[in-house]
C-alpha cells in the first residue's frame, strides 16, 4: 500500500480490536505522517531479555512488540514525554514504569500483577507534593492502545515545521471529520492533509503534510497557534 492511501479512520478503528491493529496503525501512521519504520527503529530481543534479567520480571508480549517495532524512534516516543529505554525500565510501588512525563509530573506503568497478560492495562501515577497521596490510577485498558496513542501524540508534538499547538477549545469546522475515539481524554480529527488531536478539551495539537495545508488550517481554525 502506498502511504498516500493510508486510511486513518479504518486503522484507528482496527486498533480497538487488538494489538495487531495497533501495530498496523503505528506502521501506517509513521509512513504517512513522517518516515516509514525500519528495522533499526526498534530494540533487539537481546536488549529486552537483558532488561528482564536485570528486573527479575517477564515483560508483556505487547510491550516487547512495541519496543521491537519503534522503541528507538524518538519522533514517535519522546518528542515531549519520554519512553524509557530497556535499561531504564524500573519498578516503583508495585508497577513496572515505562514512560515519564517530560518534567517528571507523571509516570506510566504496568502493575506487576498484570505483567503475565499479553496486552495488559496501563496505569498512571501523578507526581504530587504530598507523596503519601500518590497512587497508581487506571490509564488505558491495553498497553497496545497506550503505545499507539503515544506514537500519534508524540508525532504531533514533534518540533517540526509542519506541527503546531494551541491552548484552546476552538470548535472545528465541519470539514474536519472526527475520527474514532482513541486514547484517554483525546479526540482526533482529520482535515485536508491535516491531523488534529484535542486533549482534555483544553489544547490542540496538529500536523500537516504540506506547508500549504498548515496555512489552510490557520485560516480555518483561527487562534493563538504557537508557530503561526
Amino acid at each position: 500500500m502506498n502511504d498516500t492511501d493510508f486510511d486513518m479512520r479504518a486503522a484507528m478503528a482496527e486498533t480497538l480490536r487488538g494489538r495487531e491493529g495497533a501495530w498496523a496503525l503505528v506502521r501506517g501512521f509513521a509512513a504517512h505522517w513522517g518516515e516509514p519504520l525500519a528495522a533499526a527503529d526498534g530494540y533487539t530481543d537481546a536488549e529486552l531479555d537483558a532488561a528482564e534479567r536485570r528486573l527479575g520480571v517477564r515483560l508483556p508480549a505487547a510491550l516487547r512488540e512495541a519496543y521491537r517495532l519503534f522503541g528507538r524512534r524518538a519522533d514517535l516516543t519522546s518528542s515531549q514525554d519520554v519512553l524509557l529505554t530497556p535499561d531504564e525500565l524500573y519498578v516503583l510501588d508495585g508497577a513496572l514504569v515505562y514512560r515519564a512525563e517530560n518534567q517528571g509530573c507523571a509516570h506510566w506503568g504496568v502493575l506487576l500483577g498484570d505483567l503475565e497478560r499479553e496486552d495488559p492495562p496501563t496505569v498512571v501515577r501523578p507526581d504530587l507534593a504530598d507523596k503519601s497521596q500518590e497512587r497508581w490510577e487506571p490509564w488505558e485498558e491495553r498497553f497496545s492502545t497506550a503505545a499507539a496513542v503515544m506514537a500519534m501524540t508524540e508525532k504531533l508534538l514533534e518540533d517540526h515545521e509542519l506541527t503546531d499547538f494551541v491552548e484552546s477549545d476552538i470548535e472545528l469546522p465541519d470539514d474536519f471529520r472526527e475520527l474514532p475515539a482513541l486514547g484517554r481524554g483525546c479526540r482526533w480529527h482529520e482535515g485536508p492533509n491535516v491531523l488534529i488531536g484535542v486533549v482534555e478539551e483544553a489544547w490542540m495539537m496538529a500536523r500537516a503534510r504540506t506547508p500549504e495545508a498548515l496555512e489552510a488550517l490557520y485560516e480555518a481554525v483561527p487562534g493563538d497557534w504557537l508557530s503561526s
Side-chain angles (χ1 to χ4, degrees), residues 33-129:
W33 295 100
E35 297 294 330
L37 294 177
D41 291 337
Y43 290 96
T44 65
D45 280 321
E47 290 171 302
L48 296 168
D49 291 344
E52 288 185 335
R53 290 193 296 271
R54 175 177 60 83
L55 294 165
V57 301
R58 292 293 300 274
L59 301 178
L63 187 146
R64 292 184 67 102
E65 290 165 0
Y67 271 80
R68 287 201 307 260
L69 182 63
F70 66 102
R72 292 184 183 275
R73 276 283 293 267
D75 61 320
L76 303 175
T77 64
S78 304
S79 294
Q80 175 170 287
D81 302 329
V82 179
L83 178 70
L84 303 185
T85 64
D87 59 2
E88 291 173 334
L89 296 170
Y90 66 96
V91 172
L92 173 65
D93 195 18
L96 175 68
V97 180
Y98 68 87
R99 190 178 183 215
E101 198 270 341
N102 68 333
Q103 295 181 331
C105 295
H107 295 81
W108 289 266
V110 176
L111 295 178
L112 296 182
D114 289 328
L115 290 181
E116 293 184 359
R117 299 171 63 172
E118 290 192 348
D119 197 1
T122 60
V123 289
V124 64
R125 186 185 182 98
D127 181 64
L128 303 177

Side-chain angles (χ1 to χ4, degrees), residues 206-222:
R207 186 176 186 93
R209 285 175 59 79
T210 66
E212 294 77 15
L214 189 60
E215 288 299 324
L217 171 65
Y218 294 150
E219 293 182 11
V221 186

